[in-house]
Amino acid sequence: MSDSTPTRRPFHGSCHCGSVQYIIFLTLPHQPPPIATPPPTDSSRANQEFYRCNCTPCQKAGHFHIRLAWSPEDFMLLSPLDPMAQLGDYTCNDGRIHWLFCKKCAGRCFLFAGAGEMAEVDLDELGVQDKDGGKMGKRTIWRPKAEGWDEQRPSGCYLSVNGYTVDAGQEGFELGEFTANKWVGYVDCLELNGPERDPRYDKPYEGGAF
């Protein structure tokens, strides 16, 4: 990006067939959160995060984690509007997190746990344009419900967008740049390695991938 001032802006994402459509708001250029810093005491993560996890489900599903600063405002699902009923679902481990996927193309756009809601928003007022730069107007969207939402683990709230499903060709979003700039943390959650280790930014842990 030519401008080095961190700026919050929207990006479009979708599954391969386009049945799942969403908007996320990211602040770029990215500033990775400090390592070994006590978590904030309020419900905000304080930082967005990009990371790859080497645990078996994440590795086999090919999930590039984008954790948003405040999911109720930073994630808007345009379709479908009832994801828990209209998308395929897979849970593993404790069954708390839903690995939702498109029933047509099997694309996995996001993982979710918690409560959601439908809302009416004016996308033009939020600075969201369509892929051709046109207006999108007022729309009904689905989003995580702000009431009771807590971005901190191990709460019952969790949203992780698959960065591989953010649509290509959008100015300012290039995953190769994220890796080159060492914005991507590599997390060690592989059961064979023992206790989870703090993220590192130079290379993946054993069993992981760039």
mmCIF file with all atom_site columns, all heavy atoms in Angstrom, residues 21 23 72 75-83 116-123 126 137-144:
data_model
loop_
_atom_site.group_PDB
_atom_site.id
_atom_site.type_symbol
_atom_site.label_atom_id
_atom_site.label_alt_id
_atom_site.label_comp_id
_atom_site.label_asym_id
_atom_site.label_entity_id
_atom_site.label_seq_id
_atom_site.pdbx_PDB_ins_code
_atom_site.Cartn_x
_atom_site.Cartn_y
_atom_site.Cartn_z
_atom_site.occupancy
_atom_site.B_iso_or_equiv
_atom_site.pdbx_formal_charge
_atom_site.auth_seq_id
_atom_site.auth_comp_id
_atom_site.auth_asym_id
_atom_site.auth_atom_id
_atom_site.pdbx_PDB_model_num
ATOM 1   N N   . GLN A 1 21  ? -21.595 -14.432 0.392  1.00 0.00 ? 21  GLN A N   1
ATOM 2   C CA  . GLN A 1 21  ? -21.022 -13.116 0.131  1.00 0.00 ? 21  GLN A CA  1
ATOM 3   C C   . GLN A 1 21  ? -20.898 -12.375 1.456  1.00 0.00 ? 21  GLN A C   1
ATOM 4   O O   . GLN A 1 21  ? -21.832 -12.371 2.253  1.00 0.00 ? 21  GLN A O   1
ATOM 5   C CB  . GLN A 1 21  ? -21.930 -12.305 -0.811 1.00 0.00 ? 21  GLN A CB  1
ATOM 6   C CG  . GLN A 1 21  ? -22.166 -12.932 -2.168 1.00 0.00 ? 21  GLN A CG  1
ATOM 7   C CD  . GLN A 1 21  ? -21.065 -12.605 -3.153 1.00 0.00 ? 21  GLN A CD  1
ATOM 8   O OE1 . GLN A 1 21  ? -20.255 -11.696 -2.932 1.00 0.00 ? 21  GLN A OE1 1
ATOM 9   N NE2 . GLN A 1 21  ? -21.014 -13.344 -4.262 1.00 0.00 ? 21  GLN A NE2 1
ATOM 10  N N   . ILE A 1 23  ? -18.715 -8.939  3.753  1.00 0.00 ? 23  ILE A N   1
ATOM 11  C CA  . ILE A 1 23  ? -17.850 -7.770  3.825  1.00 0.00 ? 23  ILE A CA  1
ATOM 12  C C   . ILE A 1 23  ? -17.088 -7.837  5.143  1.00 0.00 ? 23  ILE A C   1
ATOM 13  O O   . ILE A 1 23  ? -17.671 -8.131  6.194  1.00 0.00 ? 23  ILE A O   1
ATOM 14  C CB  . ILE A 1 23  ? -18.660 -6.452  3.791  1.00 0.00 ? 23  ILE A CB  1
ATOM 15  C CG1 . ILE A 1 23  ? -19.515 -6.347  2.522  1.00 0.00 ? 23  ILE A CG1 1
ATOM 16  C CG2 . ILE A 1 23  ? -17.728 -5.238  3.924  1.00 0.00 ? 23  ILE A CG2 1
ATOM 17  C CD1 . ILE A 1 23  ? -18.728 -6.138  1.253  1.00 0.00 ? 23  ILE A CD1 1
ATOM 18  N N   . PRO A 1 72  ? -18.786 -7.691  15.622 1.00 0.00 ? 72  PRO A N   1
ATOM 19  C CA  . PRO A 1 72  ? -20.130 -7.183  15.345 1.00 0.00 ? 72  PRO A CA  1
ATOM 20  C C   . PRO A 1 72  ? -20.161 -5.985  14.393 1.00 0.00 ? 72  PRO A C   1
ATOM 21  O O   . PRO A 1 72  ? -21.190 -5.728  13.761 1.00 0.00 ? 72  PRO A O   1
ATOM 22  C CB  . PRO A 1 72  ? -20.661 -6.808  16.737 1.00 0.00 ? 72  PRO A CB  1
ATOM 23  C CG  . PRO A 1 72  ? -19.945 -7.744  17.663 1.00 0.00 ? 72  PRO A CG  1
ATOM 24  C CD  . PRO A 1 72  ? -18.557 -7.841  17.077 1.00 0.00 ? 72  PRO A CD  1
ATOM 25  N N   . PHE A 1 75  ? -17.707 -7.407  10.515 1.00 0.00 ? 75  PHE A N   1
ATOM 26  C CA  . PHE A 1 75  ? -18.114 -8.502  9.643  1.00 0.00 ? 75  PHE A CA  1
ATOM 27  C C   . PHE A 1 75  ? -19.588 -8.357  9.314  1.00 0.00 ? 75  PHE A C   1
ATOM 28  O O   . PHE A 1 75  ? -20.426 -8.190  10.204 1.00 0.00 ? 75  PHE A O   1
ATOM 29  C CB  . PHE A 1 75  ? -17.885 -9.855  10.324 1.00 0.00 ? 75  PHE A CB  1
ATOM 30  C CG  . PHE A 1 75  ? -18.284 -11.043 9.486  1.00 0.00 ? 75  PHE A CG  1
ATOM 31  C CD1 . PHE A 1 75  ? -17.446 -11.540 8.503  1.00 0.00 ? 75  PHE A CD1 1
ATOM 32  C CD2 . PHE A 1 75  ? -19.515 -11.659 9.672  1.00 0.00 ? 75  PHE A CD2 1
ATOM 33  C CE1 . PHE A 1 75  ? -17.812 -12.632 7.721  1.00 0.00 ? 75  PHE A CE1 1
ATOM 34  C CE2 . PHE A 1 75  ? -19.893 -12.748 8.905  1.00 0.00 ? 75  PHE A CE2 1
ATOM 35  C CZ  . PHE A 1 75  ? -19.037 -13.238 7.925  1.00 0.00 ? 75  PHE A CZ  1
ATOM 36  N N   . MET A 1 76  ? -19.905 -8.413  8.016  1.00 0.00 ? 76  MET A N   1
ATOM 37  C CA  . MET A 1 76  ? -21.296 -8.354  7.562  1.00 0.00 ? 76  MET A CA  1
ATOM 38  C C   . MET A 1 76  ? -21.511 -9.434  6.507  1.00 0.00 ? 76  MET A C   1
ATOM 39  O O   . MET A 1 76  ? -20.850 -9.420  5.462  1.00 0.00 ? 76  MET A O   1
ATOM 40  C CB  . MET A 1 76  ? -21.627 -6.980  6.970  1.00 0.00 ? 76  MET A CB  1
ATOM 41  C CG  . MET A 1 76  ? -21.515 -5.821  7.968  1.00 0.00 ? 76  MET A CG  1
ATOM 42  S SD  . MET A 1 76  ? -22.061 -4.242  7.279  1.00 0.00 ? 76  MET A SD  1
ATOM 43  C CE  . MET A 1 76  ? -20.869 -4.003  5.964  1.00 0.00 ? 76  MET A CE  1
ATOM 44  N N   . LEU A 1 77  ? -22.394 -10.356 6.782  1.00 0.00 ? 77  LEU A N   1
ATOM 45  C CA  . LEU A 1 77  ? -22.728 -11.404 5.827  1.00 0.00 ? 77  LEU A CA  1
ATOM 46  C C   . LEU A 1 77  ? -23.890 -10.929 4.969  1.00 0.00 ? 77  LEU A C   1
ATOM 47  O O   . LEU A 1 77  ? -24.982 -10.642 5.475  1.00 0.00 ? 77  LEU A O   1
ATOM 48  C CB  . LEU A 1 77  ? -23.095 -12.684 6.574  1.00 0.00 ? 77  LEU A CB  1
ATOM 49  C CG  . LEU A 1 77  ? -23.314 -13.938 5.735  1.00 0.00 ? 77  LEU A CG  1
ATOM 50  C CD1 . LEU A 1 77  ? -22.020 -14.363 5.037  1.00 0.00 ? 77  LEU A CD1 1
ATOM 51  C CD2 . LEU A 1 77  ? -23.846 -15.078 6.607  1.00 0.00 ? 77  LEU A CD2 1
ATOM 52  N N   . LEU A 1 78  ? -23.658 -10.834 3.664  1.00 0.00 ? 78  LEU A N   1
ATOM 53  C CA  . LEU A 1 78  ? -24.699 -10.385 2.743  1.00 0.00 ? 78  LEU A CA  1
ATOM 54  C C   . LEU A 1 78  ? -25.602 -11.524 2.311  1.00 0.00 ? 78  LEU A C   1
ATOM 55  O O   . LEU A 1 78  ? -26.782 -11.341 2.063  1.00 0.00 ? 78  LEU A O   1
ATOM 56  C CB  . LEU A 1 78  ? -24.068 -9.724  1.514  1.00 0.00 ? 78  LEU A CB  1
ATOM 57  C CG  . LEU A 1 78  ? -23.094 -8.567  1.782  1.00 0.00 ? 78  LEU A CG  1
ATOM 58  C CD1 . LEU A 1 78  ? -22.565 -8.019  0.466  1.00 0.00 ? 78  LEU A CD1 1
ATOM 59  C CD2 . LEU A 1 78  ? -23.757 -7.465  2.596  1.00 0.00 ? 78  LEU A CD2 1
ATOM 60  N N   . SER A 1 79  ? -25.047 -12.712 2.201  1.00 0.00 ? 79  SER A N   1
ATOM 61  C CA  . SER A 1 79  ? -25.832 -13.907 1.886  1.00 0.00 ? 79  SER A CA  1
ATOM 62  C C   . SER A 1 79  ? -25.031 -15.145 2.273  1.00 0.00 ? 79  SER A C   1
ATOM 63  O O   . SER A 1 79  ? -23.801 -15.137 2.157  1.00 0.00 ? 79  SER A O   1
ATOM 64  C CB  . SER A 1 79  ? -26.174 -13.960 0.383  1.00 0.00 ? 79  SER A CB  1
ATOM 65  O OG  . SER A 1 79  ? -24.999 -14.125 -0.396 1.00 0.00 ? 79  SER A OG  1
ATOM 66  N N   . PRO A 1 80  ? -25.709 -16.177 2.777  1.00 0.00 ? 80  PRO A N   1
ATOM 67  C CA  . PRO A 1 80  ? -27.129 -16.222 3.128  1.00 0.00 ? 80  PRO A CA  1
ATOM 68  C C   . PRO A 1 80  ? -27.385 -15.468 4.433  1.00 0.00 ? 80  PRO A C   1
ATOM 69  O O   . PRO A 1 80  ? -26.433 -15.167 5.164  1.00 0.00 ? 80  PRO A O   1
ATOM 70  C CB  . PRO A 1 80  ? -27.392 -17.719 3.296  1.00 0.00 ? 80  PRO A CB  1
ATOM 71  C CG  . PRO A 1 80  ? -26.086 -18.256 3.802  1.00 0.00 ? 80  PRO A CG  1
ATOM 72  C CD  . PRO A 1 80  ? -25.020 -17.455 3.105  1.00 0.00 ? 80  PRO A CD  1
ATOM 73  N N   . LEU A 1 81  ? -28.635 -15.185 4.717  1.00 0.00 ? 81  LEU A N   1
ATOM 74  C CA  . LEU A 1 81  ? -28.968 -14.399 5.898  1.00 0.00 ? 81  LEU A CA  1
ATOM 75  C C   . LEU A 1 81  ? -29.303 -15.255 7.113  1.00 0.00 ? 81  LEU A C   1
ATOM 76  O O   . LEU A 1 81  ? -29.561 -14.732 8.193  1.00 0.00 ? 81  LEU A O   1
ATOM 77  C CB  . LEU A 1 81  ? -30.131 -13.454 5.586  1.00 0.00 ? 81  LEU A CB  1
ATOM 78  C CG  . LEU A 1 81  ? -29.825 -12.374 4.545  1.00 0.00 ? 81  LEU A CG  1
ATOM 79  C CD1 . LEU A 1 81  ? -31.049 -11.510 4.297  1.00 0.00 ? 81  LEU A CD1 1
ATOM 80  C CD2 . LEU A 1 81  ? -28.637 -11.524 4.974  1.00 0.00 ? 81  LEU A CD2 1
ATOM 81  N N   . ASP A 1 82  ? -29.299 -16.574 6.946  1.00 0.00 ? 82  ASP A N   1
ATOM 82  C CA  . ASP A 1 82  ? -29.476 -17.488 8.077  1.00 0.00 ? 82  ASP A CA  1
ATOM 83  C C   . ASP A 1 82  ? -28.396 -18.560 7.970  1.00 0.00 ? 82  ASP A C   1
ATOM 84  O O   . ASP A 1 82  ? -28.674 -19.712 7.629  1.00 0.00 ? 82  ASP A O   1
ATOM 85  C CB  . ASP A 1 82  ? -30.874 -18.105 8.056  1.00 0.00 ? 82  ASP A CB  1
ATOM 86  C CG  . ASP A 1 82  ? -31.181 -18.895 9.322  1.00 0.00 ? 82  ASP A CG  1
ATOM 87  O OD1 . ASP A 1 82  ? -30.296 -18.995 10.197 1.00 0.00 ? 82  ASP A OD1 1
ATOM 88  O OD2 . ASP A 1 82  ? -32.314 -19.414 9.434  1.00 0.00 ? 82  ASP A OD2 1
ATOM 89  N N   . PRO A 1 83  ? -27.142 -18.196 8.229  1.00 0.00 ? 83  PRO A N   1
ATOM 90  C CA  . PRO A 1 83  ? -26.032 -19.111 7.947  1.00 0.00 ? 83  PRO A CA  1
ATOM 91  C C   . PRO A 1 83  ? -26.095 -20.413 8.729  1.00 0.00 ? 83  PRO A C   1
ATOM 92  O O   . PRO A 1 83  ? -25.692 -21.461 8.214  1.00 0.00 ? 83  PRO A O   1
ATOM 93  C CB  . PRO A 1 83  ? -24.793 -18.292 8.331  1.00 0.00 ? 83  PRO A CB  1
ATOM 94  C CG  . PRO A 1 83  ? -25.297 -17.271 9.298  1.00 0.00 ? 83  PRO A CG  1
ATOM 95  C CD  . PRO A 1 83  ? -26.670 -16.938 8.823  1.00 0.00 ? 83  PRO A CD  1
ATOM 96  N N   . GLY A 1 116 ? -25.850 -14.668 16.544 1.00 0.00 ? 116 GLY A N   1
ATOM 97  C CA  . GLY A 1 116 ? -25.890 -13.741 15.422 1.00 0.00 ? 116 GLY A CA  1
ATOM 98  C C   . GLY A 1 116 ? -27.245 -13.069 15.324 1.00 0.00 ? 116 GLY A C   1
ATOM 99  O O   . GLY A 1 116 ? -28.205 -13.468 15.988 1.00 0.00 ? 116 GLY A O   1
ATOM 100 N N   . GLU A 1 117 ? -27.318 -12.061 14.463 1.00 0.00 ? 117 GLU A N   1
ATOM 101 C CA  . GLU A 1 117 ? -28.568 -11.338 14.275 1.00 0.00 ? 117 GLU A CA  1
ATOM 102 C C   . GLU A 1 117 ? -28.614 -10.732 12.882 1.00 0.00 ? 117 GLU A C   1
ATOM 103 O O   . GLU A 1 117 ? -27.570 -10.479 12.272 1.00 0.00 ? 117 GLU A O   1
ATOM 104 C CB  . GLU A 1 117 ? -28.716 -10.226 15.318 1.00 0.00 ? 117 GLU A CB  1
ATOM 105 C CG  . GLU A 1 117 ? -27.656 -9.137  15.191 1.00 0.00 ? 117 GLU A CG  1
ATOM 106 C CD  . GLU A 1 117 ? -27.814 -8.014  16.192 1.00 0.00 ? 117 GLU A CD  1
ATOM 107 O OE1 . GLU A 1 117 ? -28.773 -8.078  16.998 1.00 0.00 ? 117 GLU A OE1 1
ATOM 108 O OE2 . GLU A 1 117 ? -27.007 -7.066  16.169 1.00 0.00 ? 117 GLU A OE2 1
ATOM 109 N N   . MET A 1 118 ? -29.828 -10.492 12.384 1.00 0.00 ? 118 MET A N   1
ATOM 110 C CA  . MET A 1 118 ? -29.995 -9.746  11.149 1.00 0.00 ? 118 MET A CA  1
ATOM 111 C C   . MET A 1 118 ? -30.185 -8.277  11.486 1.00 0.00 ? 118 MET A C   1
ATOM 112 O O   . MET A 1 118 ? -30.748 -7.932  12.529 1.00 0.00 ? 118 MET A O   1
ATOM 113 C CB  . MET A 1 118 ? -31.173 -10.283 10.344 1.00 0.00 ? 118 MET A CB  1
ATOM 114 C CG  . MET A 1 118 ? -30.887 -11.612 9.666  1.00 0.00 ? 118 MET A CG  1
ATOM 115 S SD  . MET A 1 118 ? -32.128 -12.082 8.444  1.00 0.00 ? 118 MET A SD  1
ATOM 116 C CE  . MET A 1 118 ? -33.529 -12.421 9.505  1.00 0.00 ? 118 MET A CE  1
ATOM 117 N N   . ALA A 1 119 ? -29.712 -7.403  10.607 1.00 0.00 ? 119 ALA A N   1
ATOM 118 C CA  . ALA A 1 119 ? -29.812 -5.965  10.840 1.00 0.00 ? 119 ALA A CA  1
ATOM 119 C C   . ALA A 1 119 ? -29.944 -5.245  9.508  1.00 0.00 ? 119 ALA A C   1
ATOM 120 O O   . ALA A 1 119 ? -29.540 -5.770  8.458  1.00 0.00 ? 119 ALA A O   1
ATOM 121 C CB  . ALA A 1 119 ? -28.596 -5.460  11.611 1.00 0.00 ? 119 ALA A CB  1
ATOM 122 N N   . GLU A 1 120 ? -30.517 -4.050  9.548  1.00 0.00 ? 120 GLU A N   1
ATOM 123 C CA  . GLU A 1 120 ? -30.599 -3.191  8.375  1.00 0.00 ? 120 GLU A CA  1
ATOM 124 C C   . GLU A 1 120 ? -29.465 -2.182  8.441  1.00 0.00 ? 120 GLU A C   1
ATOM 125 O O   . GLU A 1 120 ? -29.304 -1.487  9.441  1.00 0.00 ? 120 GLU A O   1
ATOM 126 C CB  . GLU A 1 120 ? -31.945 -2.463  8.337  1.00 0.00 ? 120 GLU A CB  1
ATOM 127 C CG  . GLU A 1 120 ? -33.153 -3.373  8.223  1.00 0.00 ? 120 GLU A CG  1
ATOM 128 C CD  . GLU A 1 120 ? -33.244 -4.056  6.869  1.00 0.00 ? 120 GLU A CD  1
ATOM 129 O OE1 . GLU A 1 120 ? -32.800 -3.430  5.867  1.00 0.00 ? 120 GLU A OE1 1
ATOM 130 O OE2 . GLU A 1 120 ? -33.742 -5.183  6.812  1.00 0.00 ? 120 GLU A OE2 1
ATOM 131 N N   . VAL A 1 121 ? -28.649 -2.115  7.408  1.00 0.00 ? 121 VAL A N   1
ATOM 132 C CA  . VAL A 1 121 ? -27.530 -1.173  7.384  1.00 0.00 ? 121 VAL A CA  1
ATOM 133 C C   . VAL A 1 121 ? -27.527 -0.425  6.061  1.00 0.00 ? 121 VAL A C   1
ATOM 134 O O   . VAL A 1 121 ? -28.014 -0.926  5.037  1.00 0.00 ? 121 VAL A O   1
ATOM 135 C CB  . VAL A 1 121 ? -26.180 -1.892  7.577  1.00 0.00 ? 121 VAL A CB  1
ATOM 136 C CG1 . VAL A 1 121 ? -26.121 -2.590  8.930  1.00 0.00 ? 121 VAL A CG1 1
ATOM 137 C CG2 . VAL A 1 121 ? -25.914 -2.887  6.457  1.00 0.00 ? 121 VAL A CG2 1
ATOM 138 N N   . ASP A 1 122 ? -26.983 0.771   6.088  1.00 0.00 ? 122 ASP A N   1
ATOM 139 C CA  . ASP A 1 122 ? -26.800 1.560   4.875  1.00 0.00 ? 122 ASP A CA  1
ATOM 140 C C   . ASP A 1 122 ? -25.335 1.412   4.463  1.00 0.00 ? 122 ASP A C   1
ATOM 141 O O   . ASP A 1 122 ? -24.444 2.020   5.068  1.00 0.00 ? 122 ASP A O   1
ATOM 142 C CB  . ASP A 1 122 ? -27.149 3.024   5.129  1.00 0.00 ? 122 ASP A CB  1
ATOM 143 C CG  . ASP A 1 122 ? -27.203 3.848   3.840  1.00 0.00 ? 122 ASP A CG  1
ATOM 144 O OD1 . ASP A 1 122 ? -26.388 3.581   2.937  1.00 0.00 ? 122 ASP A OD1 1
ATOM 145 O OD2 . ASP A 1 122 ? -28.060 4.745   3.737  1.00 0.00 ? 122 ASP A OD2 1
ATOM 146 N N   . LEU A 1 123 ? -25.085 0.588   3.467  1.00 0.00 ? 123 LEU A N   1
ATOM 147 C CA  . LEU A 1 123 ? -23.711 0.295   3.061  1.00 0.00 ? 123 LEU A CA  1
ATOM 148 C C   . LEU A 1 123 ? -23.022 1.518   2.471  1.00 0.00 ? 123 LEU A C   1
ATOM 149 O O   . LEU A 1 123 ? -21.806 1.667   2.597  1.00 0.00 ? 123 LEU A O   1
ATOM 150 C CB  . LEU A 1 123 ? -23.700 -0.866  2.073  1.00 0.00 ? 123 LEU A CB  1
ATOM 151 C CG  . LEU A 1 123 ? -24.176 -2.210  2.635  1.00 0.00 ? 123 LEU A CG  1
ATOM 152 C CD1 . LEU A 1 123 ? -24.187 -3.269  1.544  1.00 0.00 ? 123 LEU A CD1 1
ATOM 153 C CD2 . LEU A 1 123 ? -23.301 -2.660  3.792  1.00 0.00 ? 123 LEU A CD2 1
ATOM 154 N N   . LEU A 1 126 ? -21.510 3.459   5.172  1.00 0.00 ? 126 LEU A N   1
ATOM 155 C CA  . LEU A 1 126 ? -20.353 2.764   5.738  1.00 0.00 ? 126 LEU A CA  1
ATOM 156 C C   . LEU A 1 126 ? -19.164 2.743   4.790  1.00 0.00 ? 126 LEU A C   1
ATOM 157 O O   . LEU A 1 126 ? -18.114 2.180   5.106  1.00 0.00 ? 126 LEU A O   1
ATOM 158 C CB  . LEU A 1 126 ? -20.737 1.328   6.107  1.00 0.00 ? 126 LEU A CB  1
ATOM 159 C CG  . LEU A 1 126 ? -21.772 1.193   7.233  1.00 0.00 ? 126 LEU A CG  1
ATOM 160 C CD1 . LEU A 1 126 ? -22.186 -0.271  7.394  1.00 0.00 ? 126 LEU A CD1 1
ATOM 161 C CD2 . LEU A 1 126 ? -21.227 1.746   8.545  1.00 0.00 ? 126 LEU A CD2 1
ATOM 162 N N   . GLY A 1 137 ? -26.417 0.803   -1.318 1.00 0.00 ? 137 GLY A N   1
ATOM 163 C CA  . GLY A 1 137 ? -27.646 1.194   -0.650 1.00 0.00 ? 137 GLY A CA  1
ATOM 164 C C   . GLY A 1 137 ? -27.894 0.464   0.660  1.00 0.00 ? 137 GLY A C   1
ATOM 165 O O   . GLY A 1 137 ? -26.994 -0.108  1.272  1.00 0.00 ? 137 GLY A O   1
ATOM 166 N N   . LYS A 1 138 ? -29.150 0.463   1.070  1.00 0.00 ? 138 LYS A N   1
ATOM 167 C CA  . LYS A 1 138 ? -29.549 -0.188  2.309  1.00 0.00 ? 138 LYS A CA  1
ATOM 168 C C   . LYS A 1 138 ? -29.753 -1.673  2.067  1.00 0.00 ? 138 LYS A C   1
ATOM 169 O O   . LYS A 1 138 ? -30.360 -2.075  1.074  1.00 0.00 ? 138 LYS A O   1
ATOM 170 C CB  . LYS A 1 138 ? -30.822 0.452   2.865  1.00 0.00 ? 138 LYS A CB  1
ATOM 171 C CG  . LYS A 1 138 ? -30.636 1.905   3.284  1.00 0.00 ? 138 LYS A CG  1
ATOM 172 C CD  . LYS A 1 138 ? -31.916 2.494   3.871  1.00 0.00 ? 138 LYS A CD  1
ATOM 173 C CE  . LYS A 1 138 ? -31.688 3.937   4.314  1.00 0.00 ? 138 LYS A CE  1
ATOM 174 N NZ  . LYS A 1 138 ? -32.923 4.534   4.894  1.00 0.00 ? 138 LYS A NZ  1
ATOM 175 N N   . ARG A 1 139 ? -29.242 -2.479  2.984  1.00 0.00 ? 139 ARG A N   1
ATOM 176 C CA  . ARG A 1 139 ? -29.328 -3.922  2.828  1.00 0.00 ? 139 ARG A CA  1
ATOM 177 C C   . ARG A 1 139 ? -29.613 -4.574  4.176  1.00 0.00 ? 139 ARG A C   1
ATOM 178 O O   . ARG A 1 139 ? -29.272 -4.052  5.230  1.00 0.00 ? 139 ARG A O   1
ATOM 179 C CB  . ARG A 1 139 ? -27.988 -4.482  2.304  1.00 0.00 ? 139 ARG A CB  1
ATOM 180 C CG  . ARG A 1 139 ? -27.615 -4.032  0.897  1.00 0.00 ? 139 ARG A CG  1
ATOM 181 C CD  . ARG A 1 139 ? -28.364 -4.825  -0.154 1.00 0.00 ? 139 ARG A CD  1
ATOM 182 N NE  . ARG A 1 139 ? -27.992 -6.226  -0.136 1.00 0.00 ? 139 ARG A NE  1
ATOM 183 C CZ  . ARG A 1 139 ? -26.987 -6.737  -0.854 1.00 0.00 ? 139 ARG A CZ  1
ATOM 184 N NH1 . ARG A 1 139 ? -26.245 -5.960  -1.614 1.00 0.00 ? 139 ARG A NH1 1
ATOM 185 N NH2 . ARG A 1 139 ? -26.729 -8.037  -0.808 1.00 0.00 ? 139 ARG A NH2 1
ATOM 186 N N   . THR A 1 140 ? -30.213 -5.742  4.110  1.00 0.00 ? 140 THR A N   1
ATOM 187 C CA  . THR A 1 140 ? -30.326 -6.588  5.287  1.00 0.00 ? 140 THR A CA  1
ATOM 188 C C   . THR A 1 140 ? -29.091 -7.482  5.330  1.00 0.00 ? 140 THR A C   1
ATOM 189 O O   . THR A 1 140 ? -28.746 -8.121  4.336  1.00 0.00 ? 140 THR A O   1
ATOM 190 C CB  . THR A 1 140 ? -31.590 -7.455  5.240  1.00 0.00 ? 140 THR A CB  1
ATOM 191 O OG1 . THR A 1 140 ? -32.745 -6.608  5.167  1.00 0.00 ? 140 THR A OG1 1
ATOM 192 C CG2 . THR A 1 140 ? -31.703 -8.331  6.483  1.00 0.00 ? 140 THR A CG2 1
ATOM 193 N N   . ILE A 1 141 ? -28.428 -7.500  6.466  1.00 0.00 ? 141 ILE A N   1
ATOM 194 C CA  . ILE A 1 141 ? -27.214 -8.301  6.621  1.00 0.00 ? 141 ILE A CA  1
ATOM 195 C C   . ILE A 1 141 ? -27.333 -9.157  7.880  1.00 0.00 ? 141 ILE A C   1
ATOM 196 O O   . ILE A 1 141 ? -28.201 -8.931  8.728  1.00 0.00 ? 141 ILE A O   1
ATOM 197 C CB  . ILE A 1 141 ? -25.944 -7.416  6.671  1.00 0.00 ? 141 ILE A CB  1
ATOM 198 C CG1 . ILE A 1 141 ? -26.026 -6.387  7.829  1.00 0.00 ? 141 ILE A CG1 1
ATOM 199 C CG2 . ILE A 1 141 ? -25.756 -6.674  5.343  1.00 0.00 ? 141 ILE A CG2 1
ATOM 200 C CD1 . ILE A 1 141 ? -25.291 -6.767  9.070  1.00 0.00 ? 141 ILE A CD1 1
ATOM 201 N N   . TRP A 1 142 ? -26.458 -10.147 7.973  1.00 0.00 ? 142 TRP A N   1
ATOM 202 C CA  . TRP A 1 142 ? -26.321 -10.934 9.196  1.00 0.00 ? 142 TRP A CA  1
ATOM 203 C C   . TRP A 1 142 ? -24.956 -10.641 9.780  1.00 0.00 ? 142 TRP A C   1
ATOM 204 O O   . TRP A 1 142 ? -23.968 -10.482 9.054  1.00 0.00 ? 142 TRP A O   1
ATOM 205 C CB  . TRP A 1 142 ? -26.442 -12.419 8.880  1.00 0.00 ? 142 TRP A CB  1
ATOM 206 C CG  . TRP A 1 142 ? -26.302 -13.334 10.073 1.00 0.00 ? 142 TRP A CG  1
ATOM 207 C CD1 . TRP A 1 142 ? -27.311 -13.837 10.846 1.00 0.00 ? 142 TRP A CD1 1
ATOM 208 C CD2 . TRP A 1 142 ? -25.090 -13.862 10.620 1.00 0.00 ? 142 TRP A CD2 1
ATOM 209 N NE1 . TRP A 1 142 ? -26.805 -14.639 11.849 1.00 0.00 ? 142 TRP A NE1 1
ATOM 210 C CE2 . TRP A 1 142 ? -25.441 -14.674 11.724 1.00 0.00 ? 142 TRP A CE2 1
ATOM 211 C CE3 . TRP A 1 142 ? -23.743 -13.738 10.284 1.00 0.00 ? 142 TRP A CE3 1
ATOM 212 C CZ2 . TRP A 1 142 ? -24.482 -15.342 12.490 1.00 0.00 ? 142 TRP A CZ2 1
ATOM 213 C CZ3 . TRP A 1 142 ? -22.789 -14.396 11.059 1.00 0.00 ? 142 TRP A CZ3 1
ATOM 214 C CH2 . TRP A 1 142 ? -23.172 -15.195 12.138 1.00 0.00 ? 142 TRP A CH2 1
ATOM 215 N N   . ARG A 1 143 ? -24.896 -10.559 11.113 1.00 0.00 ? 143 ARG A N   1
ATOM 216 C CA  . ARG A 1 143 ? -23.635 -10.243 11.771 1.00 0.00 ? 143 ARG A CA  1
ATOM 217 C C   . ARG A 1 143 ? -23.625 -10.850 13.168 1.00 0.00 ? 143 ARG A C   1
ATOM 218 O O   . ARG A 1 143 ? -24.687 -11.209 13.712 1.00 0.00 ? 143 ARG A O   1
ATOM 219 C CB  . ARG A 1 143 ? -23.459 -8.732  11.877 1.00 0.00 ? 143 ARG A CB  1
ATOM 220 C CG  . ARG A 1 143 ? -24.508 -8.059  12.761 1.00 0.00 ? 143 ARG A CG  1
ATOM 221 C CD  . ARG A 1 143 ? -24.423 -6.555  12.701 1.00 0.00 ? 143 ARG A CD  1
ATOM 222 N NE  . ARG A 1 143 ? -25.449 -5.933  13.534 1.00 0.00 ? 143 ARG A NE  1
ATOM 223 C CZ  . ARG A 1 143 ? -25.745 -4.639  13.511 1.00 0.00 ? 143 ARG A CZ  1
ATOM 224 N NH1 . ARG A 1 143 ? -25.100 -3.830  12.672 1.00 0.00 ? 143 ARG A NH1 1
ATOM 225 N NH2 . ARG A 1 143 ? -26.686 -4.142  14.293 1.00 0.00 ? 143 ARG A NH2 1
ATOM 226 N N   . PRO A 1 144 ? -22.459 -10.969 13.787 1.00 0.00 ? 144 PRO A N   1
ATOM 227 C CA  . PRO A 1 144 ? -22.415 -11.369 15.195 1.00 0.00 ? 144 PRO A CA  1
ATOM 228 C C   . PRO A 1 144 ? -23.173 -10.353 16.049 1.00 0.00 ? 144 PRO A C   1
ATOM 229 O O   . PRO A 1 144 ? -23.095 -9.138  15.803 1.00 0.00 ? 144 PRO A O   1
ATOM 230 C CB  . PRO A 1 144 ? -20.922 -11.374 15.522 1.00 0.00 ? 144 PRO A CB  1
ATOM 231 C CG  . PRO A 1 144 ? -20.257 -11.569 14.197 1.00 0.00 ? 144 PRO A CG  1
ATOM 232 C CD  . PRO A 1 144 ? -21.108 -10.844 13.209 1.00 0.00 ? 144 PRO A CD  1
#
